[in-house]
Amino acid sequence: MFEFFPPAFCFLSAALLLPFIPQGILRGLFSLTVPVLAGWSIWTATQGASAQTDFMGYTLTLMRVDGLSTFFGLAFSLAAFVCLIYAWHIRDTVQQVSTLLYAGSAVGAVFAGDLITLFVYWEGTAIASVFLIWARRTQGAYFTGLRYLVVQIGSGVILLAGIVLHVNTTGSIAFDSMTLESAASWTILLAFGIKAAFPFVHNWLEDSYPAATITGTVILSAFTTKLAIYALARGFAGTEELLLIGAAMAVVPSLYAVFENDLRRTLAYALNAQLGFMVVGIGIGTELAVNGAAAHAFASIFYKGLLFMGVGAVLYRTGTSKVTELGGLAKSMPWTMAFTLVGAASISALPLFSGFTTKSLILSAAGNAQMLWVWMALLFASACAVYHSGIKIIYFTFFGEDRGLTPKQAPFNMKLAMGITAVICIAVGVLPDQFYGLLPYDVGYHAYSVSHVVTQLQLVVFVVLAFLLLKNTPLFPAPRATVSLDTDWLYRKVIPYLLGHIARFVEHIWIRWKHDANLIVSNAINASYRTHGPQGPVARTWPTGSMVLWVAALLGITLLLTYI
Amino acid sequence: MTHQSPSQKGRSQSGSNRSLWITLGLAVLLGMSSFLYEPHGYFEVEHIKGFYALFGFVALCVLFIAAKVASPLLTRHEDYYAPKDTLSEEFPENQLGRENKDV
Amino acid sequence: MPLTHETAIALALIIPFAGMILIGLSDRNSIVRDIISVLTSLLLFSVTFWLLREVEAGAVPELILFDVMPGLSMAFKIEPLGMLFGVVASGLWIVTALYAIGYMRGNKEAHQTRFYMCFALAISASMGIAFASNMFTLFIFYEVLTLSTYPLVAHKQNADAKKGARTYLSILIGTSIGFQLLAIIWTWVATGTLDFVHGGILSGHLDDSFAPVLLALYAFGIGKAALMPFHRWLPAAMVAPTPVSALLHAVAVVKAGVFTMLKVGVYIFGIDYLSLTGASDWLMWLAAASILIASIVAMTKDNLKARLAYSTVSQLSYITLAMALASSLGVMGGAMHIPMHAMGKITLFMCAGAIYVATHKTNISQMRGLGRTMPFTYAAFLIGSLSIIGLPPFGGAWSKWYILLAAADTGQLIMIGVLMVSSLLNVAYLLPVVAQGFFLPNPDDLSEPAAKGSISTRIKEAPLLVVLPPCLTAIGCFLLFFYAQEIYNLLAPVAFGPETATAVLGGSPS
């Protein structure tokens, strides 16, 4: 049936086996072999291969191996590997199983060649991932998980509606490039957009990622949004509407990232802004730009993962990830600081780090297309990223005001995972040509030129300079213990408030109506009891007795009706 | 919350001053280097000498001002969404490996 | 002795009936009684399964008992839709029979013999409904089903049970006599026949402007389909012991309702006639409202069984909606929803019962943290919920797929929206149960660290016979996703017309 075993099945079958393997080293090693096997099978798969199966009258393409899917498949397998090392110390079967299911669904979705398969895995990522939030086992996480799940499954059902419309109009279930001319493609774009955290439907990301467990946040940050980026690149490359969406996405979350107090939520906003870069790349749609989106997705998985890992390690040892409670950890957690610095340097796009070689692809593509405003927006977002993901994370955690915290170093497995991720970040920055060779399209692009290196250094250094100068002035937005109001304010405060009032009003009317109606009905029932039949415990004769009477009466009405 | 000895505070102050001076030096060097090569860019603006430096500096100022203006409107106390939010609760202790350094 | 079609149909009706008598005779010996109950269900299922194979091979088994008057007879004729209903009801009876033993013993319920007898009788009536060849036969068995389940609802014999049972009976009997019988007589007067004929019997015999009226009489007359506003009997029936709620009020009785609804749509009116006259437009809107309102009401219910009951009301309206869309794909989706929803909902009810047996808790707010002590029950509940929501890889995804396709096909974009919102509402009222069970601390369990002992010491599940059946049906939900093709092939003649049967059976439908 298949030319080869779909790598997603490696993950899914391993997830089913996992609970039967004894907790500890054996289970850890078992789960680590899964992404290795999957990655190997993706690496060795021949381009253009596919695995199809006939089901319910449709030909489902479980595997479509081409440049784009291979690249994302490899990225996800590698990410799963690193995340599993980071989560080595976790002894919670629920989290372990859901990690494998989640990663497997993401890999499966990337290789899905048709919309039905895509939908199946799309929902798979939604359900599997929510357990990483609930696994925190607190009331807040429970509610946050529910909100997350409704949005994620909402994205899935919108996708389903889009697919149904698409199938109805075109008769095809193939997942290929689409144009925004029908209700179907708009609906599908909306579904993708929710998972890609488009403006106004983005808030699930910032709401839920900081609520997950320490390892859960790292795992969550790798897959869902990047899957959406893949889906957009596959379906909507070159869609002009994405330019504006992406530019807005890159800029607005940056603002929130500045005054957000929780570092994991700061990183979630930063992640959202980075997604904006990729969406712009897809909107430009040239081979260079889509390459850039893919490359930046790859880089973002790892540098963002690295930052989440660093903050997670701090949270693991200190019990907090809030700016107002952290500071001065450079001495006690030097390795964590070093690795987090690599992540910060990467997102700041310093030369020799991954952001430098990937972000520039998108900026160059915008330049080639002479889109000045889009380019300016991205440049602005780049400058902001230097502050909120580079300076803010590093400065307030490891330097800044000393809070007297003297935590122990992060556990070895966390350091190892951070180390590997840091190596990946540097490798992408140092060996751009080899990395570009993996990208979906063949584009001759050279990241390192004097001009590019100098200008990028200028940007970063002057942002740092501005920060150091402004730090002690009233202009500086000093951290405060607050929560930021975002679009979730609407559905967490405004709508419940309005609904509460409406509900009370309706209830009032309902109770009165019910009272009147009950009176009428009970009178009628009492009357009928008096006239018909005995009232035995099993009142069998009552209905049959009255049946004859009713039939006669109704027959009369029927005859009347037919002769009108 | 924690008491800081004056010497500690002084040390961090001097460290911060040192990093400011280093950054300033780097910035000047990089600013100067704009004049040493012929920039190639996609837009007119990129040919302005020191465009990126200026852009970075201004961008952060704009960002800070925007944040300063927006934050009173867009932030509330931590307990605003409690209890349906994780921000208002402690991270569960049994999931932490909270250990202090052996002193 | 080779089994003929006639004897097989007769057996399907007689086996549960004979089982009922044997159960009554073995009142003294509870073990024998329970064994008879399980054996009867197995025997019945083997007969219906044999019939299924025959129907799949293209046969149309028939049995005519006697003529009531010229043109009207007590007769049975198995078409694919009825076959599907028959297999679902009899197949799930096996797991419920096992479950009932564990549940009734676990709860030390009284009057168990009466309970099993009525149960068997209800199954017998369901078989009659499934295999009826005309509206008259169907109606007779429909009433038998109502009456035979009344003692089951009133089983506890306390004030609550009697009140619930009275609502149950008065609504079901009231609507069926008041509207359905009227509709049947009207149909008879107009057409001179009550036989189920593919494509309908009304076309050409009924003024088009009366079609919506007649449909209304049927739709409200089939009270078992729990279309709002005649849905109150279903939550009221939740006072019954859980096996009754599980099989009868998630499978046999309510599915008899929507099955009748589909029968009326396909075989009395005919899909083309409905679509031509637009007679079912209003029904579509009412079903949509029913879906949403019942879901919202379900969210407000803290009693788990009441929440599941309103969920059933909502899900039944999926099938009514599918029929009212008046499209072949809708019939496919609606009919497919019968087994898919049955498997999912019976799982949920059996889990609710398992929780009750183990802890005597009925309210969701009391069930925090129970998932850690009852992981199998809660895992089954999760799978059942996902299937009800319509998520892959569980059976419910396919029926929803076809209903959505039908809505797209008929251009009813709002109905697509309704189904989407309904999915989200399903998430909102089903998954909190699981999440609270697994991830919130148990308030009773003050010694939380002690509860973190090894898994074997922590687990306090209900008895095996109560836990195993929902686990089996949960696996069933998963398998149905992959066996949907078989159901599709079986139903293709109903949805797309008999002439497509051979084409579809041969290869893949396009």
Side-chain angles (χ1 to χ4, degrees), chain C residues 213-294:
Chain C
V213 183
L214 181 58
L215 184 68
L217 287 176
Y218 273 117
F220 292 124
I222 305 166
K224 290 195 171 88
L227 189 64
M228 281 188 168
F230 296 104
H231 66 283
R232 283 300 307 271
W233 64 271
L234 187 52
M238 290 302 131
V239 293
T242 309
V244 177
S245 312
L247 184 63
L248 299 177
H249 300 125
V251 181
V253 173
V254 293
K255 293 303 178 316
V258 284
F259 166 74
T260 312
M261 198 76 98
L262 281 172
K263 278 271 201 183
V264 167
V266 177
Y267 295 108
I268 299 286
F269 282 84
I271 288 302
D272 293 337
Y273 181 68
L274 281 179
S275 146
L276 209 65
T277 57
S280 58
D281 276 359
W282 67 272
L283 184 59
M284 179 182 78
W285 290 102
L286 183 68
S290 197
I291 289 173
L292 293 183
I293 295 171

Side-chain angles (χ1 to χ4, degrees), chain A residues 360-394:
Chain A
S360 53
L361 287 170
I362 299 172
L363 283 165
S364 300
N368 280 337
Q370 286 298 306
M371 297 166 174
L372 180 64
W373 289 109
V374 172
W375 181 82
M376 288 282 247
L378 294 190
L379 200 62
F380 179 74
S382 299
C384 297
V386 175
Y387 171 67
H388 58 64
S389 303
I391 301 168
K392 183 178 171 187
I393 301 287
I394 300 293

Side-chain angles (χ1 to χ4, degrees), chain A residues 286-417:
Chain A
T286 57
E287 289 196 342
L288 177 67
V290 173
N291 256 358
H296 200 52
F298 182 95
S300 169
I301 288 176
F302 293 99
Y303 65 62
K304 199 52 78 175
L306 183 51
L307 289 168
F308 271 120
M309 284 180 193
V311 174
V314 169
L315 172 59
Y316 185 71
R317 284 301 192 214
T318 65
T320 181
S321 59
K322 288 176 187 166
V323 172
T324 45
E325 295 166 17
L326 285 172
L329 295 180
K331 284 226 183 60
S332 36
M333 302 184 85
W335 282 105
T336 305
M337 183 185 76
F339 294 134
T340 314
L341 259 174
V342 173
S346 300
I347 195 172
S348 306
L350 275 180
L352 303 181
F353 294 95
S354 64
F356 181 78
T357 47
T358 58
K359 204 184 274 184
S360 53
L361 287 170
I362 299 172
L363 283 165
S364 300
N368 280 337
Q370 286 298 306
M371 297 166 174
L372 180 64
W373 289 109
V374 172
W375 181 82
M376 288 282 247
L378 294 190
L379 200 62
F380 179 74
S382 299
C384 297
V386 175
Y387 171 67
H388 58 64
S389 303
I391 301 168
K392 183 178 171 187
I393 301 287
I394 300 293
Y395 179 80
F396 286 110
T397 311
F398 299 104
F399 304 99
E401 194 179 330
D402 196 325
R403 315 261 175 195
L405 298 166
T406 53
K408 212 174 147 186
Q409 285 269 21
F412 177 72
N413 65 302
M414 286 190 174
K415 279 191 286 192
L416 181 64

Side-chain angles (χ1 to χ4, degrees), chain A residues 15 115 129 285 289 499:
Chain A
L115 291 164
S129 57
L499 277 184

